[in-house]
Amino acid sequence: MRIPVDRDSAVPVYRQVELWLRASIEDGALPAGTRLPASRALAAELGLSRITVVNAYAALEGDGLLVTRTGSGTFVEGRGGGPPLGAGATEWPLWQRMLPVPEKVTEPAWPVTDRPDLISFTGVGDTRLFPVKELQSTMGEVLRQAGTAALDYGSLTDGYHPLQETICQLLASQGIRTAATGVVVTSGSQQALALVCQVLLTPGDTVLVEQPTYNLALDLFRVLRLRPVGIPVDRSGMRVELVERALQQHHPRLIYTIPNFQNPTGACLSGERRHQLLALARRYNVPILEDDYAGDLRYEGRSQPAIKALDPGGHVIYVGTFAKLLMPGLRVGYLVADGPVRDLLATHKRAQDLTTSPLMQRIVDRYVTVGRYQAHLRRTTRLYRRRRDALLTALAADLPEVAVEPPTGGLFAWLRLPPGVTGNALLPIARAEGVEFAPGDAFFPDPADGAPFIRLNFATRTPEEIALGVTRLSAALRRFRGAAGVGDSGATPNGVGR
Amino acid sequence: MRIPVDRDSAVPVYRQVELWLRASIEDGALPAGTRLPASRALAAELGLSRITVVNAYAALEGDGLLVTRTGSGTFVEGRGGGPPLGAGATEWPLWQRMLPVPEKVTEPAWPVTDRPDLISFTGVGDTRLFPVKELQSTMGEVLRQAGTAALDYGSLTDGYHPLQETICQLLASQGIRTAATGVVVTSGSQQALALVCQVLLTPGDTVLVEQPTYNLALDLFRVLRLRPVGIPVDRSGMRVELVERALQQHHPRLIYTIPNFQNPTGACLSGERRHQLLALARRYNVPILEDDYAGDLRYEGRSQPAIKALDPGGHVIYVGTFAKLLMPGLRVGYLVADGPVRDLLATHKRAQDLTTSPLMQRIVDRYVTVGRYQAHLRRTTRLYRRRRDALLTALAADLPEVAVEPPTGGLFAWLRLPPGVTGNALLPIARAEGVEFAPGDAFFPDPADGAPFIRLNFATRTPEEIALGVTRLSAALRRFRGAAGVGDSGATPNGVGR
């Protein structure tokens, strides 16, 4: 009995055997009365342990599809005697029934409702600030200048070359010296993260991440069946003093870090820790994936050099994006890499989707080179700083019992709720009060660790909306405690305590 | 000596051991005079066969980095005694030096030169026909109607819902009945192909493909370290009578087919073969990936139902695109799947790049729903039919010695060159004469099989340009034979003979 078994599958082998036999019985290929091989014989034939076959037989017996008669063997009892596998499941081809269950991905943490009265502290940037008019005129200019060439594939290399050069110039201001050939343009920074995983990692590999970290990166790791291991974050970013033990214990194949205005905590990795992290990565031969999603969006203080800027060569892959400052819908990001990995990344990029929209690449390039990007950045920084201030003021006034570390840039404030309150329990009450946020569990390798936290995006709302939103949040918290019967006594301020 | 070894890597294990030792010697971590463990002891420690360690030591001895003294052991001889690993290679981190060499990807087969005098029978569609004005007004309408929402991420589900519904309606005309929830919008059809490979296949798996087939799909398979096995194509498409033996012999995990106006041959899979292929796929439990890149672009004859339309459920994943008819630069394609695999594909899509540009999705949706797409399709079909006719006329007149099967739709004509002539040898001479084409080798699992063929895209050129291009091709062929001393005697017409 030649049952196909895939040892690399996420589906346990006993389950594969079970599903194959189940389908064969249901198809009629194994009619009632058929005697199956003894478990020991089948195990030997398939090169499996006997217990695997025993488990498969037992599951089918439990469903009434097989029957074992002591002394004479295991027989097919009949078709579909047991409960169905699930709605419609038995109708799908066997290869479909053997697929792994999709990973649970998190709620994307931007507005899930279109209620105009809802104040949502989610999303990426304030859609009302998107430079739509400028985008349209830039597009018009691109089409006038490049004509239909802007709408063809372009060269299937690593990006629209003028944009690669423009990105180099932007990076030079952050101390990252690279040639245009080191830049690979991607469909948003998410694709850059995905390409790095595909090129460097295989299922089962461990990735060191900050804890908490970017929820959609965690989703990516889970979907690719990687194992994220978290290093706690404090106000100076990833606690690098804990990294060496993790390197020794978990043998990660990648270190993923968001050093500037970390998502979700807003923390910045200190200069000293940047050097230490790079030194550890070099000593332990582990690449660093540096996600600089909002490095330009600083409200005060001095910027630290990118880890990539400290890299003597080939240790760090740097990822950037235009989504956060311009418009997420552009889907233009990039990665910077040197060494052999750069060509591998470019080859995989081309295999994945040929090219990022040449029209969008030309639009972004022109938007930057004529100075619109820089002006937009200055305007946005001023505006978002005021919004951050409004949030901190409102929190101090209306929610003294939540702990928050003031972010010095970026989009996010990270709040620890009073004892006994979880983000997920608070959210429905908050929505009823007219305010929305991202619960903390999506940002942790183990979601349970995120229960006491919520993330607020202050960039998407005006100061007035922020004040009103915090008032509503405060009301929601009072209602929650009223309902839960939690006294105020336990609600003294509490360190961010990551 | 704890040498990290990755058994799943494309880099042979002995080479991993060699590279690790080499780096340690060059770093000074293993100074001159250090005694290495005996090969047997190291092999036991690492769980490797002894020959693996012996090979690694031998390579390092050959480079003068190790020396074996009979009776006393193997010792580090000194730093960098041998030739360098390659330019700059020793400077890269060890993990970079252990990466596999990128797969050679083919030339993309569209214009590589910007010479305005060159008649290039490459590319995808005629850029001069791209509806740029319509695109701009559609975009203006979308932005007026949707405002900045068009520039945000949109929901990170499986596409812009109205576009999914529009795609369902387009598919209904091809007999494919699906709910909008069965459609996943992708960044071009290439991403759809890539997602299917990622979800269903692992490195080393075999994919049955037509031979010849789409070069960028072959590239994708190679980059993902899959093994394409070719089934020859005749005028009725894939020779399905050869498929069963291939299924038994190669145990493929996927069948990839382009049933309509196959790229590159232009052949259409007959109705009978569609049924047979689906029956075989069901019997052998192998999914079919149906790539319908240009199903609408028919110049004569009756269209066959899509294989997906014959699918009783879950056996076929269908892939379509707007690139070929509208503009490749839009980067909007889609896949249709049902059963558990559909959710897996959607989950991977989101992990890969979050979403396909919501702006582009809205533009395509509006372009189709206001009827512009259908009008553009009718115009384009009329125009391309005349171009196909012009090509066949010119070939019959100027190049009777090449064999061609008249395509009934699509963009491509597939030519077998006279004996002794190869596409790659002819190309430089043709370029000198002012004409360009795609040599056949890029379209075969084994490139050598493609030597006598070339692919002409007739859609990108006007009838006048086509006539001139074929005259130039004829001149190039004469020059080639003059140079090669090939007589005309061997140049009798020849069946397409795939």
Side-chain angles (χ1 to χ4, degrees):
Chain A
M1 193 169 279
R2 289 179 53 187
I3 301 179
V5 166
D6 178 2
R7 277 156 230 274
D8 297 329
S9 166
V11 178
V13 170
Y14 88 87
R15 177 94 175 129
Q16 295 183 43
V17 173
E18 177 204 333
L19 285 168
W20 192 92
L21 289 170
R22 187 184 291 273
S24 301
I25 294 166
E26 286 166 352
D27 290 353
L30 290 176
T34 306
R35 181 178 170 166
L36 294 187
S39 56
R40 194 183 301 275
L42 183 58
E45 189 185 347
L46 300 176
L48 303 175
S49 76
R50 193 184 156 210
I51 190 75
T52 303
V53 177
V54 167
N55 284 339
Y57 281 9
L60 294 164
E61 269 195 73
D63 290 348
L65 292 172
L66 294 184
V67 62
T68 298
R69 297 187 195 118
T70 316
S72 62
T74 302
F75 296 84
V76 175
E77 179 74 351
R79 289 197 199 186
L85 270 173
T90 54
E91 294 160 28
W92 301 120
L94 180 60
W95 64 264
Q96 287 235 25
R97 285 188 266 158
M98 293 174 75
L99 291 171
V101 174
E103 289 293 327
K104 273 217 166 40
V105 289
T106 58
E107 280 295 314
W110 36 80
V112 292
T113 43
D114 274 339
R115 280 168 49 193
D117 66 306
L118 191 74
I119 293 176
S120 183
F121 289 118
T122 65
V124 168
D126 187 343
T127 56
R128 295 167 292 191
L129 301 179
F130 289 167
V132 178
K133 283 259 165 351
E134 286 187 346
L135 174 77
Q136 278 187 283
S137 33
T138 307
M139 179 167 166
E141 290 157 24
V142 163
L143 288 173
R144 269 195 300 283
Q145 185 196 322
T148 52
L151 301 169
D152 205 349
Y153 278 120
S155 71
L156 291 200
T157 53
D158 23 42
Y160 174 57
H161 193 72
L163 176 60
Q164 293 173 298
E165 291 189 331
T166 300
I167 290 169
C168 287
Q169 288 161 20
L170 285 177
L171 290 174
S173 69
Q174 293 164 50
I176 300 174
R177 293 179 55 182
T178 181
T181 51
V183 177
V184 178
V185 178
T186 57
S187 301
S189 61
Q190 184 80 10
Q191 187 182 45
L193 305 183
L195 289 170
V196 170
C197 291
Q198 279 160 33
V199 163
L200 294 183
L201 307 174
T202 51
D205 281 350
T206 295
V207 183
L208 279 198
V209 302
E210 284 139 1
Q211 176 176 312
T213 189
Y214 178 42
N215 55 329
L216 296 176
L218 278 180
D219 278 354
L220 170 69
F221 299 146
R222 290 182 183 125
V223 166
L224 298 181
R225 289 196 263 146
L226 305 170
R227 213 164 58 85
V229 167
I231 304 289
V233 170
D234 64 18
R235 71 181 66 185
S236 302
M238 185 193 279
R239 290 180 55 194
V240 173
E241 77 275 16
L242 303 176
V243 166
E244 185 154 17
R245 196 168 40 182
L247 288 165
Q248 290 168 348
Q249 194 176 339
H250 299 287
H251 304 288
R253 302 288 295 257
L254 184 71
I255 300 171
Y256 172 65
T257 178
I258 309 167
N260 293 320
F261 322 122
Q262 203 249 355
N263 184 354
T265 64
C268 281
L269 193 64
S270 71
E272 194 185 352
R273 287 186 178 177
R274 288 172 195 237
H275 283 280
Q276 288 166 346
L277 187 64
L278 179 59
L280 282 170
R282 293 179 66 183
R283 196 171 327 135
Y284 283 84
N285 186 39
V286 180
I288 291 178
L289 175 55
E290 178 177 24
D291 183 349
D292 198 15
Y293 82 101
D296 282 339
L297 212 53
R298 168 174 294 282
Y299 309 134
E300 65 227 355
R302 204 168 54 83
S303 70
Q304 296 295 337
I307 308 176
K308 182 71 187 161
L310 309 173
D311 178 7
H315 297 277
V316 180
I317 300 170
Y318 175 94
V319 167
T321 175
F322 293 96
K324 304 303 179 289
L325 268 194
L326 288 177
M327 291 154 274
L330 291 181
R331 309 306 305 126
V332 178
Y334 56 91
L335 61 83
V336 180
D338 46 2
V341 74
R342 187 249 162 238
D343 288 348
L344 263 180
L345 288 164
T347 304
H348 275 253
K349 159 63 183 172
R350 183 177 132 177
Q352 286 297 321
D353 66 359
L354 300 187
T355 177
T356 293
S357 167
L359 175 61
M360 287 302 181
Q361 290 192 61
R362 284 174 192 259
I363 289 173
V364 170
D365 181 52
R366 185 165 174 90
Y367 195 83
V368 175
T369 50
V370 301
R372 284 177 183 146
Y373 176 78
Q374 296 78 344
H376 184 66
L377 173 62
R378 281 191 299 272
R379 274 197 308 274
T380 306
T381 305
R382 271 199 307 273
L383 208 63
Y384 287 0
R385 184 195 292 122
R386 283 203 294 273
R387 293 174 176 194
R388 189 238 7 213
D389 294 343
L391 178 67
L392 294 176
T393 305
L395 288 175
D398 289 352
L399 279 171
E401 66 270 44
V402 307
V404 61
E405 195 68 54
T408 55
L411 309 169
F412 305 115
W414 182 242
L415 275 55
R416 179 190 268 275
L417 298 170
V421 189
T422 71
N424 276 320
L426 186 61
L427 186 57
I429 301 172
R431 282 198 179 125
E433 291 285 342
V435 64
E436 197 175 54
F437 52 79
D441 56 347
F443 303 93
F444 283 79
D446 179 352
D449 293 334
F453 298 99
I454 64 174
R455 191 191 72 176
L456 301 189
N457 181 331
F458 53 80
T460 54
R461 296 290 143 190
T462 65
E464 298 69 34
E465 290 168 333
I466 288 170
L468 182 57
V470 171
T471 305
R472 290 178 181 177
L473 198 55
S474 168
L477 201 54
R478 276 197 310 276
R479 266 186 57 195
F480 177 88
R481 291 162 141 191
V486 179
D488 254 48
S489 56
T492 47
N494 194 317
V496 174
R498 306 179 203 114
Chain B
M1 195 168 277
R2 291 178 51 185
I3 301 177
V5 166
D6 178 2
R7 277 156 231 271
D8 297 328
S9 166
V11 178
V13 171
Y14 88 88
R15 177 92 175 128
Q16 296 184 42
V17 174
E18 177 203 331
L19 284 168
W20 192 92
L21 289 170
R22 187 185 291 273
S24 302
I25 294 167
E26 286 166 352
D27 292 352
L30 291 175
T34 306
R35 183 177 168 165
L36 294 187
S39 55
R40 194 183 304 273
L42 183 58
E45 190 184 347
L46 300 177
L48 303 175
S49 75
R50 192 181 158 211
I51 190 73
T52 302
V53 177
V54 167
N55 284 340
Y57 281 11
L60 294 164
E61 269 195 74
D63 290 347
L65 292 172
L66 294 184
V67 62
T68 298
R69 297 188 195 118
T70 319
S72 63
T74 301
F75 296 85
V76 174
E77 178 74 350
R79 287 197 201 186
L85 270 173
T90 55
E91 296 161 27
W92 300 121
L94 180 60
W95 64 264
Q96 287 238 23
R97 286 188 265 158
M98 293 174 74
L99 292 171
V101 174
E103 290 293 327
K104 272 214 167 41
V105 289
T106 58
E107 281 294 314
W110 35 80
V112 292
T113 45
D114 275 337
R115 280 167 51 192
D117 66 307
L118 191 75
I119 293 176
S120 183
F121 289 118
T122 66
V124 168
D126 187 343
T127 56
R128 295 166 295 191
L129 301 179
F130 289 166
V132 178
K133 283 259 166 349
E134 286 187 345
L135 173 76
Q136 278 187 282
S137 33
T138 308
M139 177 166 166
E141 290 156 25
V142 164
L143 288 173
R144 267 195 302 281
Q145 185 197 319
T148 52
L151 301 169
D152 205 349
Y153 279 119
S155 72
L156 292 200
T157 53
D158 25 41
Y160 174 58
H161 192 71
L163 176 61
Q164 292 174 299
E165 290 188 332
T166 300
I167 290 168
C168 288
Q169 288 161 21
L170 285 177
L171 291 174
S173 69
Q174 292 164 51
I176 300 174
R177 292 179 55 180
T178 181
T181 52
V183 176
V184 178
V185 179
T186 57
S187 302
S189 60
Q190 184 78 11
Q191 187 182 47
L193 304 183
L195 289 169
V196 170
C197 292
Q198 280 161 33
V199 162
L200 294 182
L201 308 174
T202 52
D205 280 350
T206 295
V207 184
L208 279 199
V209 300
E210 284 140 1
Q211 176 176 313
T213 189
Y214 178 41
N215 56 328
L216 296 176
L218 279 180
D219 279 355
L220 169 68
F221 299 147
R222 289 181 184 127
V223 166
L224 298 180
R225 290 195 263 145
L226 306 169
R227 214 164 58 85
V229 166
I231 303 289
V233 171
D234 65 19
R235 71 181 65 186
S236 302
M238 183 193 278
R239 289 180 55 194
V240 173
E241 77 274 17
L242 302 176
V243 166
E244 184 154 18
R245 195 166 44 179
L247 287 166
Q248 291 168 347
Q249 192 176 341
H250 298 287
H251 305 288
R253 302 288 293 257
L254 185 70
I255 300 172
Y256 172 65
T257 177
I258 310 167
N260 293 321
F261 323 122
Q262 201 248 359
N263 183 355
T265 65
C268 281
L269 193 64
S270 71
E272 195 186 351
R273 286 187 179 176
R274 289 173 195 235
H275 283 279
Q276 290 165 345
L277 187 63
L278 179 59
L280 282 169
R282 293 180 65 183
R283 196 171 326 138
Y284 284 84
N285 186 38
V286 181
I288 291 178
L289 174 55
E290 178 177 25
D291 182 351
D292 198 15
Y293 81 101
D296 283 339
L297 212 55
R298 167 174 296 281
Y299 309 134
E300 66 228 353
R302 203 169 55 83
S303 69
Q304 296 295 338
I307 308 175
K308 181 71 188 161
L310 309 173
D311 179 5
H315 297 278
V316 180
I317 300 169
Y318 176 94
V319 167
T321 174
F322 294 96
K324 304 303 180 289
L325 268 195
L326 288 176
M327 293 155 274
L330 291 182
R331 311 306 302 126
V332 177
Y334 56 91
L335 61 83
V336 180
D338 44 4
V341 73
R342 187 250 163 237
D343 288 348
L344 263 180
L345 288 164
T347 304
H348 274 254
K349 159 64 183 172
R350 183 178 134 176
Q352 286 298 320
D353 66 359
L354 300 187
T355 177
T356 293
S357 166
L359 175 61
M360 287 301 182
Q361 291 192 62
R362 283 173 191 260
I363 289 174
V364 170
D365 181 52
R366 185 166 175 88
Y367 195 82
V368 175
T369 49
V370 302
R372 286 180 181 142
Y373 176 79
Q374 296 78 345
H376 184 68
L377 174 61
R378 283 191 297 274
R379 274 197 309 273
T380 306
T381 305
R382 273 199 305 275
L383 208 63
Y384 287 0
R385 183 196 292 123
R386 284 204 294 274
R387 294 175 176 193
R388 187 232 16 206
D389 294 343
L391 177 68
L392 294 175
T393 306
L395 288 174
D398 289 352
L399 278 172
E401 67 269 43
V402 307
V404 62
E405 195 70 54
T408 56
L411 309 168
F412 305 115
W414 182 241
L415 276 55
R416 179 190 268 275
L417 298 170
V421 189
T422 71
N424 276 318
L426 186 61
L427 186 56
I429 302 172
R431 281 196 179 127
E433 291 286 342
V435 65
E436 197 174 54
F437 52 77
D441 55 350
F443 303 93
F444 283 81
D446 179 352
D449 293 334
F453 298 99
I454 64 175
R455 190 192 72 177
L456 302 189
N457 181 330
F458 52 81
T460 54
R461 296 290 144 189
T462 65
E464 298 70 33
E465 290 168 332
I466 288 170
L468 181 56
V470 172
T471 306
R472 289 178 182 177
L473 197 56
S474 168
L477 201 54
R478 278 198 309 279
R479 265 186 59 195
F480 177 88
R481 291 161 139 191
V486 179
D488 254 49
S489 56
T492 47
N494 195 317
V496 175
R498 302 177 207 116

